[in-house]
Amino acid sequence: MKRLFLIMAILTVSIAASARDLYTVTYKVQPQMHCENCKKKIKDQLKFEKGVRAINISIKEQTVKLTYDADKTDTQKLSESLKKIGYKTTEIENKKLNLK
Amino acid sequence: MKYKLSILCILFPVFAYGAKLNGVVLSEDGEPLVGASVRWENRTTGTTTDIDGKFVIAYNTDDKTLITSYVGYNNDTTLVDFSEKSIIIKLFPYILDEVTVTTRGRGVVKVSGAENSMLIGQQELFKAACCNLGESFTTNPSVDVSYDDAATGAKQIKLLGLSGAYVQMLTENIPAFRGAAHPYSLGYVPGPWMQSIQVSKGSSSVKNGYESITGQINIEYLKPQAEDETIGANFYGDSKAKFEANLDGNIHLNKTLSTAFLAHYEDRYTSHDGNDDGFIDMPDIKQFNIANRWGYFSSKRITQAFVSVIDENRKSGVSSHATHHLDPQKYDADLHTSDVNAWVKNAWIIDSDKNTNIAIIGNFSRHLFDGKYGDGRTLYTGQTNAYGQLLFETDFDEHNSISAGASIVYDYYHHNLYLSPAPLKDRETTPGAYAQYTYKIADKFVAMAGLRYDYSGIYGGFFTPRAHLKWTPLYGLTFRASAGKGYRTVNPWAEYNYLLSSSLPIIVEETLRQEKAWNYGISASYSLSLFDRPLSLSTEYYYTDFDSQVILDRDSYPGQIYISNLCGQSYSHTFQIDLNYELLEGLTFAAAYRRNDVKESYDGVKMDKSLTPKYKGLLSLSYLTPLEHWQFDATLQLNGSGRLPTAPVVNDIKIYEESYPSFVQLSAQITRHFRHLSVYVGGENLTNYKQKNPIINLTSVSYYDPTLIWGPVDGAMVYAGVRLKFNYR
């Protein structure tokens, strides 16, 4: 188990280190997300999308915050992916992630 | 969702402008609620809150009461004081009951009803290879799964320290796998077919009959009406040369009608003899299992139908490459099972606001078992069961509801046993009726009391009273209590047929009484947030006391098996404590410990029930990466020691020990999820613990006994598999 976590930690660090071009985009989605199920549906759609590094969904704020690798995907692709499952997106913010 | 009055509203002054009111809608912890709808009472239009939870709404002189609603939260009704021109409305989530839906969605969810029950969802089931129902409880501390018999691989579950026969098995809330189907039933439900398993401990509702004594296990299969139309497949293989394939798929034929297909095939290719005792460790099982189900859902009527067919062959005995030169004719077992089951449920919804509905359920099953054991012992058992139920349910108001109904159970058993040339026949028809009343104060208190009366064609009439209480004094803290009676008719040859693989004489008392037992239980569960992560703690205590029981007595006359009426006391005390905590984001930890004190009287002498461990402990760790691509699960199980039945004495020496030791088992699995695919590898019994002599006295036919099983009979096993799921529309 110890070794497993070590491998996990190395993997996480190496992913973070190799990613130079990380951005975080925040979308407001239509229709509204109502419950854990909507959240799950969106997460299930996005989690295997190429370039997606982190997903943060807030039902309270009705936002989907995505961290992505700009070398592999862009906001258009991400918003199209959400459109496939019936969610229209409005981009609120798209900023480069500062990795120090 | 029942309308609920406002819980809190704070008014405070801000400057005024025109005939407009502005305000903000917040959640209980002060977060703004975006898109909450706000309107005046008696008006159909209104406004919604913006990204900061703020709203502006125009008003007339007759507007007084503001209604605020937001999905997942209780509606709020506020009488507005217009001297204040701004208003804060706080909404409270209506899932106040059990804090179980965490950010990640746990695999096991405590069910919020009056019964102490938990729902094991697919997420939990997929933590282990989960080939069938019997293997679904590896990560569950409440349910034990043990082998009955090393030769034929009969397995049984134990709940509250007592045999699985006292647990009522239900599939889709219809009694299933009763009597003849019971011994091998854990293998009849393929893992990938299951959507969820609900385990309820202690006395159950009287709705499903009088049979449950220690609890209920309800299995829900994959649904045809599931939102997505999918085709799924699962392939599995393990180091013991077992291969499995499962297929499932559903189609929505139109808006109301849907159907689903389920198929399963399993085969063990080699006869492995890992402990080199001359016997194959695991029986060679070949099973086909197919099912088709239909669902019709409209606002007025719900109709569901299901049909399944199982065909299974089990072969065990002497290994073909044995060096022990055992005579296969004396030991080999060859069992064939076929099972057909069909059911229809129909519910008419009369008033959906009051949950008023009438339902009718019909079930038919036919189970045939043909067993050939060593030394010419044979058993042929057939059971035909028909079941009908009519029920009516309605809420009188938001506090009071009732459920009432009538049922009829028909069982026909016919046996042909090597001991008796003439076939034995048993027939039992039991009509009955029940009523159950529930009083509920939303989220705070539930009292449920039920009574049923049934009339058995063999045992006459009897009452089944049962009662449940649930109290939530504080957010996250819940107490439950239950008491109730249960009954069961025992068909020894149907249920104990696995004993025929031993060579011990089996003597069955001529007139077996109906089993009767009381079960009492109390439990407390507490959920809280510790360092911003969910922690849940629960404890429970159950007591089962038999008034009358049919016992398997191996102690009064060592070397013989008596199936007889209980004479003296028989009871079980169990105490369990469970802890669950999310240590880090995605990393959950669970620990559980249970003490069992199970006693039975043999010929009037009270003893620990044999083959029942005194305690059980479970530790599990589960990690899911943030994007849910990888999943790691490990479970460590501590099985307590216990007593073995009194050993027969040969040449002044007892042929086996008095007790068995405790042992530890480890299982682990790694899963990689892809969009349409999951690949998993894992291992069971990785500590490689093996019961030393699973077969007693195997070199001599007298006292040959493979049914004293307390531990794993085969060593470490590794497996790999793949699950596919395509959303085809």
Side-chain angles (χ1 to χ4, degrees), chain B residues 110 116 140-142 201 522-526 536-542 574-580 589-596 616-619:
Chain B
K110 199 118 178 152
N116 181 15
N140 189 294
S142 299
K201 283 179 272 185
I522 45 168
S523 67
S525 63
Y526 186 45
S536 72
L537 190 68
S538 64
T539 63
E540 59 186 40
Y541 164 74
Y542 282 94
T574 59
F575 173 78
Q576 187 173 317
I577 182 157
D578 284 85
L579 172 90
N580 278 282
F589 166 78
Y593 182 75
R594 187 178 68 234
R595 286 294 310 185
N596 294 328
K616 182 183 177 176
L618 197 113
L619 282 178

Side-chain angles (χ1 to χ4, degrees), chain B residues 175 178 208-211 383-389 406-412 427-432 452 454-457:
Chain B
R178 300 165 61 254
N208 297 312
Y210 50 85
E211 279 184 344
Q383 182 187 6
T384 305
N385 165 262
Y387 173 75
Q389 193 185 6
S407 64
I408 185 157
V409 186
Y410 168 81
D411 281 307
Y412 172 62
R427 219 183 281 266
E428 188 182 15
T429 307
T430 314
R452 61 179 299 137
D454 294 270
Y455 189 88
S456 154

